Amino acid sequence: MSDDLILSVVMGSRAYGLDTDDSDTDRRGVFAAPTAAFWRLDKPATHRDGPLPEQFSWEVERFCVLALDANPTVLECLWSPIVEVITPAGRRLRELRGAFVSARAHQSFAGYADAQFRRLDPAAPKWKQAMHMVRLLLSGLHLVRHGEPLVQVGPHRERLLAIKHGELPWAEVDAWRAALSAELAATPSVLPERPDRDRVEDFLIDVRKENL
């Protein structure tokens, strides 16, 4: 394991509660590059593969920027139920997760799901992609209602897996998608208008000071 990794979580099917016997273990990480590395002309990488198997990691500043922009993939990392690596800085990042959410998530979750929908061919849909499109709408709807995304799908597991396995007709999948999209658009949001950038920036400054 790399010394600069401050947080590593499991995402994908195992975090969503959609895993089966042959499921991979998809990991997402956050690392903090040495502060002195930013003083050079060549800046540290904003992301990388690894260091753990099947892991994609972001440098902490890039992670924070994406989370503040309500990137669904990044936001959901902060609520993963499976944490494999966590340092004191990683723990503070998890505790800060409420500072990242804002009303823009209403549009970002709907927008990401709509982009996936537009890439699907109704005549020959990629069923796994269709499943994740619906899951993303469920997550976004929970976020605007309760202030946090729905990572573990709970009672939706069997129906979502039926989509993945191509056991539901496309018309039924599309009807569920349309209903969720309409519900998401009509649901009043409990999220603040803007994220708390000041708290996030204070956290980032502290991390940079700790890594001098």
Short mmCIF file of all heavy atoms in Angstrom, two decimals, residues 121-164:
data_model
loop_
_atom_site.label_atom_id
_atom_site.label_comp_id
_atom_site.label_asym_id
_atom_site.label_seq_id
_atom_site.Cartn_x
_atom_site.Cartn_y
_atom_site.Cartn_z
N ASP A 121 -29.24 1.47 -26.56
CA ASP A 121 -30.03 1.14 -27.75
C ASP A 121 -31.20 0.27 -27.30
O ASP A 121 -31.00 -0.87 -26.88
CB ASP A 121 -29.15 0.38 -28.74
CG ASP A 121 -29.92 -0.03 -30.00
OD1 ASP A 121 -31.12 0.29 -30.10
OD2 ASP A 121 -29.31 -0.69 -30.86
N PRO A 122 -32.43 0.76 -27.38
CA PRO A 122 -33.59 -0.03 -26.94
C PRO A 122 -33.71 -1.39 -27.64
O PRO A 122 -34.25 -2.34 -27.07
CB PRO A 122 -34.79 0.87 -27.28
CG PRO A 122 -34.22 2.24 -27.33
CD PRO A 122 -32.83 2.10 -27.85
N ALA A 123 -33.18 -1.47 -28.86
CA ALA A 123 -33.27 -2.73 -29.59
C ALA A 123 -32.28 -3.77 -29.06
O ALA A 123 -32.52 -4.97 -29.19
CB ALA A 123 -33.02 -2.49 -31.08
N ALA A 124 -31.18 -3.29 -28.50
CA ALA A 124 -30.15 -4.21 -27.96
C ALA A 124 -29.45 -3.52 -26.79
O ALA A 124 -28.28 -3.16 -26.88
CB ALA A 124 -29.15 -4.60 -29.05
N PRO A 125 -30.17 -3.31 -25.69
CA PRO A 125 -29.59 -2.55 -24.57
C PRO A 125 -28.48 -3.32 -23.87
O PRO A 125 -28.49 -4.55 -23.82
CB PRO A 125 -30.78 -2.34 -23.63
CG PRO A 125 -31.74 -3.42 -23.99
CD PRO A 125 -31.55 -3.73 -25.43
N LYS A 126 -27.53 -2.57 -23.37
CA LYS A 126 -26.53 -3.16 -22.48
C LYS A 126 -27.15 -3.17 -21.09
O LYS A 126 -27.29 -2.13 -20.45
CB LYS A 126 -25.24 -2.33 -22.52
CG LYS A 126 -24.55 -2.33 -23.88
CD LYS A 126 -23.29 -1.50 -23.86
CE LYS A 126 -22.59 -1.52 -25.21
NZ LYS A 126 -21.38 -0.69 -25.23
N TRP A 127 -27.53 -4.34 -20.65
CA TRP A 127 -28.37 -4.44 -19.46
C TRP A 127 -27.67 -3.97 -18.19
O TRP A 127 -28.30 -3.39 -17.31
CB TRP A 127 -28.89 -5.86 -19.31
CG TRP A 127 -29.85 -6.24 -20.39
CD1 TRP A 127 -29.65 -7.12 -21.40
CD2 TRP A 127 -31.16 -5.70 -20.59
NE1 TRP A 127 -30.75 -7.18 -22.22
CE2 TRP A 127 -31.70 -6.32 -21.75
CE3 TRP A 127 -31.94 -4.76 -19.91
CZ2 TRP A 127 -32.97 -6.03 -22.23
CZ3 TRP A 127 -33.21 -4.47 -20.40
CH2 TRP A 127 -33.71 -5.10 -21.53
N LYS A 128 -26.37 -4.21 -18.09
CA LYS A 128 -25.65 -3.76 -16.90
C LYS A 128 -25.66 -2.23 -16.82
O LYS A 128 -25.84 -1.64 -15.76
CB LYS A 128 -24.22 -4.28 -16.91
CG LYS A 128 -23.43 -3.94 -15.65
CD LYS A 128 -22.04 -4.58 -15.67
CE LYS A 128 -21.26 -4.24 -14.42
NZ LYS A 128 -19.90 -4.87 -14.43
N GLN A 129 -25.47 -1.59 -17.96
CA GLN A 129 -25.51 -0.13 -18.02
C GLN A 129 -26.92 0.38 -17.68
O GLN A 129 -27.08 1.38 -16.97
CB GLN A 129 -25.10 0.35 -19.40
CG GLN A 129 -25.01 1.86 -19.55
CD GLN A 129 -24.53 2.28 -20.93
OE1 GLN A 129 -23.84 1.53 -21.61
NE2 GLN A 129 -24.92 3.47 -21.36
N ALA A 130 -27.93 -0.33 -18.16
CA ALA A 130 -29.31 0.06 -17.85
C ALA A 130 -29.58 -0.05 -16.35
O ALA A 130 -30.25 0.81 -15.76
CB ALA A 130 -30.28 -0.82 -18.63
N MET A 131 -29.05 -1.10 -15.73
CA MET A 131 -29.22 -1.27 -14.28
C MET A 131 -28.60 -0.10 -13.52
O MET A 131 -29.22 0.46 -12.60
CB MET A 131 -28.58 -2.58 -13.82
CG MET A 131 -28.66 -2.80 -12.31
SD MET A 131 -27.60 -4.15 -11.72
CE MET A 131 -25.96 -3.41 -11.90
N HIS A 132 -27.39 0.28 -13.91
CA HIS A 132 -26.73 1.36 -13.20
C HIS A 132 -27.40 2.71 -13.45
O HIS A 132 -27.37 3.59 -12.58
CB HIS A 132 -25.24 1.41 -13.57
CG HIS A 132 -24.45 0.32 -12.92
ND1 HIS A 132 -24.34 0.19 -11.55
CD2 HIS A 132 -23.73 -0.70 -13.44
CE1 HIS A 132 -23.59 -0.86 -11.25
NE2 HIS A 132 -23.21 -1.42 -12.38
N MET A 133 -28.02 2.88 -14.61
CA MET A 133 -28.79 4.09 -14.87
C MET A 133 -29.93 4.23 -13.86
O MET A 133 -30.14 5.29 -13.26
CB MET A 133 -29.34 4.04 -16.29
CG MET A 133 -30.36 5.12 -16.63
SD MET A 133 -31.19 4.79 -18.20
CE MET A 133 -32.15 3.31 -17.81
N VAL A 134 -30.67 3.14 -13.65
CA VAL A 134 -31.78 3.16 -12.71
C VAL A 134 -31.25 3.33 -11.28
O VAL A 134 -31.81 4.10 -10.48
CB VAL A 134 -32.62 1.88 -12.83
CG1 VAL A 134 -33.66 1.81 -11.73
CG2 VAL A 134 -33.29 1.81 -14.20
N ARG A 135 -30.16 2.63 -10.96
CA ARG A 135 -29.59 2.74 -9.61
C ARG A 135 -29.18 4.18 -9.31
O ARG A 135 -29.37 4.69 -8.21
CB ARG A 135 -28.38 1.81 -9.49
CG ARG A 135 -27.85 1.70 -8.05
CD ARG A 135 -26.38 1.35 -8.01
NE ARG A 135 -25.54 2.36 -8.61
CZ ARG A 135 -25.18 3.48 -8.00
NH1 ARG A 135 -25.62 3.76 -6.77
NH2 ARG A 135 -24.39 4.34 -8.60
N LEU A 136 -28.62 4.86 -10.31
CA LEU A 136 -28.19 6.24 -10.11
C LEU A 136 -29.38 7.15 -9.83
O LEU A 136 -29.30 8.06 -8.99
CB LEU A 136 -27.44 6.72 -11.36
CG LEU A 136 -26.62 7.99 -11.23
CD1 LEU A 136 -25.56 7.86 -10.15
CD2 LEU A 136 -25.96 8.32 -12.57
N LEU A 137 -30.50 6.91 -10.48
CA LEU A 137 -31.70 7.70 -10.22
C LEU A 137 -32.22 7.45 -8.81
O LEU A 137 -32.65 8.38 -8.11
CB LEU A 137 -32.78 7.38 -11.25
CG LEU A 137 -32.53 7.92 -12.66
CD1 LEU A 137 -33.50 7.30 -13.65
CD2 LEU A 137 -32.64 9.45 -12.68
N LEU A 138 -32.18 6.19 -8.37
CA LEU A 138 -32.59 5.87 -7.00
C LEU A 138 -31.70 6.56 -5.99
O LEU A 138 -32.17 7.10 -4.98
CB LEU A 138 -32.54 4.35 -6.79
CG LEU A 138 -33.61 3.52 -7.49
CD1 LEU A 138 -33.24 2.04 -7.45
CD2 LEU A 138 -34.98 3.73 -6.85
N SER A 139 -30.40 6.58 -6.28
CA SER A 139 -29.44 7.22 -5.38
C SER A 139 -29.67 8.73 -5.31
O SER A 139 -29.67 9.33 -4.23
CB SER A 139 -28.01 6.92 -5.85
OG SER A 139 -27.06 7.44 -4.96
N GLY A 140 -29.87 9.34 -6.48
CA GLY A 140 -30.10 10.78 -6.52
C GLY A 140 -31.39 11.18 -5.83
O GLY A 140 -31.45 12.21 -5.14
N LEU A 141 -32.43 10.38 -6.00
CA LEU A 141 -33.71 10.67 -5.35
C LEU A 141 -33.58 10.62 -3.83
O LEU A 141 -34.11 11.48 -3.11
CB LEU A 141 -34.76 9.67 -5.84
CG LEU A 141 -36.21 9.91 -5.41
CD1 LEU A 141 -36.69 11.28 -5.85
CD2 LEU A 141 -37.10 8.80 -5.98
N HIS A 142 -32.85 9.64 -3.34
CA HIS A 142 -32.61 9.53 -1.90
C HIS A 142 -31.79 10.71 -1.41
O HIS A 142 -32.02 11.24 -0.31
CB HIS A 142 -31.88 8.21 -1.60
CG HIS A 142 -31.87 7.84 -0.16
ND1 HIS A 142 -30.90 8.29 0.72
CD2 HIS A 142 -32.70 7.06 0.59
CE1 HIS A 142 -31.14 7.80 1.93
NE2 HIS A 142 -32.22 7.05 1.87
N LEU A 143 -30.83 11.15 -2.21
CA LEU A 143 -29.97 12.27 -1.83
C LEU A 143 -30.77 13.56 -1.66
O LEU A 143 -30.60 14.28 -0.66
CB LEU A 143 -28.88 12.48 -2.88
CG LEU A 143 -27.95 13.67 -2.69
CD1 LEU A 143 -27.18 13.57 -1.38
CD2 LEU A 143 -26.96 13.76 -3.86
N VAL A 144 -31.65 13.88 -2.61
CA VAL A 144 -32.38 15.13 -2.51
C VAL A 144 -33.43 15.08 -1.40
O VAL A 144 -33.83 16.11 -0.85
CB VAL A 144 -33.03 15.54 -3.86
CG1 VAL A 144 -31.98 15.71 -4.93
CG2 VAL A 144 -34.08 14.54 -4.30
N ARG A 145 -33.85 13.87 -1.04
CA ARG A 145 -34.85 13.73 0.03
C ARG A 145 -34.22 13.70 1.42
O ARG A 145 -34.79 14.21 2.38
CB ARG A 145 -35.65 12.45 -0.18
CG ARG A 145 -36.72 12.55 -1.24
CD ARG A 145 -37.42 11.21 -1.42
NE ARG A 145 -38.59 11.32 -2.28
CZ ARG A 145 -39.19 10.29 -2.83
NH1 ARG A 145 -38.74 9.06 -2.62
NH2 ARG A 145 -40.26 10.46 -3.60
N HIS A 146 -33.06 13.06 1.53
CA HIS A 146 -32.49 12.78 2.85
C HIS A 146 -31.10 13.37 3.08
O HIS A 146 -30.56 13.23 4.18
CB HIS A 146 -32.45 11.27 3.09
CG HIS A 146 -33.78 10.60 2.93
ND1 HIS A 146 -34.80 10.75 3.85
CD2 HIS A 146 -34.26 9.79 1.96
CE1 HIS A 146 -35.85 10.05 3.46
NE2 HIS A 146 -35.56 9.46 2.31
N GLY A 147 -30.51 13.98 2.07
CA GLY A 147 -29.20 14.61 2.24
C GLY A 147 -28.02 13.68 2.07
O GLY A 147 -26.88 14.10 2.28
N GLU A 148 -28.24 12.44 1.67
CA GLU A 148 -27.14 11.52 1.38
C GLU A 148 -27.58 10.54 0.29
O GLU A 148 -28.77 10.21 0.20
CB GLU A 148 -26.70 10.77 2.62
CG GLU A 148 -27.76 9.90 3.26
CD GLU A 148 -27.24 9.22 4.52
OE1 GLU A 148 -26.83 9.93 5.45
OE2 GLU A 148 -27.26 7.97 4.56
N PRO A 149 -26.64 10.12 -0.56
CA PRO A 149 -27.02 9.21 -1.65
C PRO A 149 -27.37 7.82 -1.13
O PRO A 149 -26.97 7.44 -0.02
CB PRO A 149 -25.75 9.17 -2.52
CG PRO A 149 -24.63 9.48 -1.57
CD PRO A 149 -25.20 10.45 -0.58
N LEU A 150 -28.11 7.09 -1.93
CA LEU A 150 -28.45 5.71 -1.60
C LEU A 150 -27.39 4.81 -2.22
O LEU A 150 -27.41 4.56 -3.42
CB LEU A 150 -29.83 5.35 -2.15
CG LEU A 150 -30.32 3.93 -1.85
CD1 LEU A 150 -30.64 3.78 -0.36
CD2 LEU A 150 -31.55 3.60 -2.70
N VAL A 151 -26.45 4.34 -1.41
CA VAL A 151 -25.39 3.47 -1.93
C VAL A 151 -25.87 2.02 -1.92
O VAL A 151 -25.92 1.37 -2.95
CB VAL A 151 -24.08 3.65 -1.14
CG1 VAL A 151 -23.01 2.70 -1.66
CG2 VAL A 151 -23.59 5.10 -1.25
N GLN A 152 -26.23 1.51 -0.77
CA GLN A 152 -26.78 0.16 -0.71
C GLN A 152 -28.24 0.17 -1.16
O GLN A 152 -29.06 0.88 -0.58
CB GLN A 152 -26.66 -0.41 0.71
CG GLN A 152 -25.21 -0.74 1.10
CD GLN A 152 -25.15 -1.51 2.40
OE1 GLN A 152 -25.70 -1.08 3.41
NE2 GLN A 152 -24.46 -2.63 2.40
N VAL A 153 -28.55 -0.64 -2.16
CA VAL A 153 -29.87 -0.53 -2.79
C VAL A 153 -30.98 -1.21 -2.01
O VAL A 153 -32.16 -0.98 -2.28
CB VAL A 153 -29.83 -1.10 -4.23
CG1 VAL A 153 -28.87 -0.29 -5.08
CG2 VAL A 153 -29.45 -2.58 -4.23
N GLY A 154 -30.63 -2.08 -1.06
CA GLY A 154 -31.62 -2.68 -0.18
C GLY A 154 -32.73 -3.40 -0.91
O GLY A 154 -32.48 -4.34 -1.67
N PRO A 155 -33.99 -2.98 -0.72
CA PRO A 155 -35.13 -3.70 -1.30
C PRO A 155 -35.19 -3.66 -2.83
O PRO A 155 -35.98 -4.39 -3.43
CB PRO A 155 -36.34 -2.99 -0.69
CG PRO A 155 -35.86 -1.63 -0.34
CD PRO A 155 -34.42 -1.81 0.08
N HIS A 156 -34.37 -2.82 -3.46
CA HIS A 156 -34.37 -2.75 -4.93
C HIS A 156 -33.45 -3.78 -5.56
O HIS A 156 -33.40 -3.88 -6.79
CB HIS A 156 -33.92 -1.35 -5.38
CG HIS A 156 -34.73 -0.23 -4.80
ND1 HIS A 156 -36.05 0.01 -5.16
CD2 HIS A 156 -34.42 0.72 -3.87
CE1 HIS A 156 -36.50 1.06 -4.49
NE2 HIS A 156 -35.54 1.49 -3.71
N ARG A 157 -32.73 -4.55 -4.73
CA ARG A 157 -31.70 -5.47 -5.25
C ARG A 157 -32.25 -6.42 -6.32
O ARG A 157 -31.68 -6.51 -7.42
CB ARG A 157 -31.09 -6.28 -4.09
CG ARG A 157 -30.18 -7.41 -4.56
CD ARG A 157 -29.64 -8.22 -3.37
NE ARG A 157 -29.15 -9.52 -3.81
CZ ARG A 157 -27.91 -9.76 -4.24
NH1 ARG A 157 -27.03 -8.77 -4.30
NH2 ARG A 157 -27.54 -10.97 -4.62
N GLU A 158 -33.30 -7.15 -6.02
CA GLU A 158 -33.76 -8.18 -6.93
C GLU A 158 -34.24 -7.61 -8.27
O GLU A 158 -33.97 -8.18 -9.33
CB GLU A 158 -34.88 -9.02 -6.28
CG GLU A 158 -34.43 -9.79 -5.05
CD GLU A 158 -33.20 -10.66 -5.31
OE1 GLU A 158 -33.14 -11.29 -6.41
OE2 GLU A 158 -32.31 -10.71 -4.45
N ARG A 159 -34.91 -6.49 -8.20
CA ARG A 159 -35.40 -5.90 -9.46
C ARG A 159 -34.25 -5.34 -10.29
O ARG A 159 -34.24 -5.46 -11.52
CB ARG A 159 -36.42 -4.79 -9.14
CG ARG A 159 -37.25 -4.37 -10.35
CD ARG A 159 -38.29 -3.37 -9.96
NE ARG A 159 -39.11 -2.97 -11.11
CZ ARG A 159 -39.91 -1.91 -11.14
NH1 ARG A 159 -40.02 -1.16 -10.06
NH2 ARG A 159 -40.61 -1.62 -12.22
N LEU A 160 -33.26 -4.76 -9.62
CA LEU A 160 -32.10 -4.25 -10.34
C LEU A 160 -31.30 -5.40 -10.97
O LEU A 160 -30.83 -5.29 -12.11
CB LEU A 160 -31.21 -3.43 -9.41
CG LEU A 160 -31.76 -2.05 -9.03
CD1 LEU A 160 -30.94 -1.43 -7.91
CD2 LEU A 160 -31.77 -1.11 -10.24
N LEU A 161 -31.13 -6.48 -10.23
CA LEU A 161 -30.42 -7.64 -10.79
C LEU A 161 -31.19 -8.26 -11.95
O LEU A 161 -30.59 -8.78 -12.90
CB LEU A 161 -30.15 -8.68 -9.70
CG LEU A 161 -29.06 -8.32 -8.69
CD1 LEU A 161 -28.94 -9.40 -7.62
CD2 LEU A 161 -27.71 -8.11 -9.38
N ALA A 162 -32.50 -8.18 -11.89
CA ALA A 162 -33.31 -8.68 -13.01
C ALA A 162 -33.03 -7.86 -14.27
O ALA A 162 -32.99 -8.40 -15.39
CB ALA A 162 -34.79 -8.64 -12.66
N ILE A 163 -32.83 -6.55 -14.10
CA ILE A 163 -32.45 -5.71 -15.24
C ILE A 163 -31.09 -6.16 -15.76
O ILE A 163 -30.90 -6.36 -16.97
CB ILE A 163 -32.42 -4.22 -14.86
CG1 ILE A 163 -33.80 -3.72 -14.47
CG2 ILE A 163 -31.86 -3.39 -16.02
CD1 ILE A 163 -33.81 -2.27 -14.00
N LYS A 164 -30.13 -6.30 -14.86
CA LYS A 164 -28.76 -6.68 -15.26
C LYS A 164 -28.76 -7.98 -16.05
O LYS A 164 -27.99 -8.13 -17.01
CB LYS A 164 -27.89 -6.82 -14.01
CG LYS A 164 -26.45 -7.22 -14.30
CD LYS A 164 -25.66 -7.40 -13.02
CE LYS A 164 -24.23 -7.83 -13.32
NZ LYS A 164 -23.44 -8.03 -12.07
#
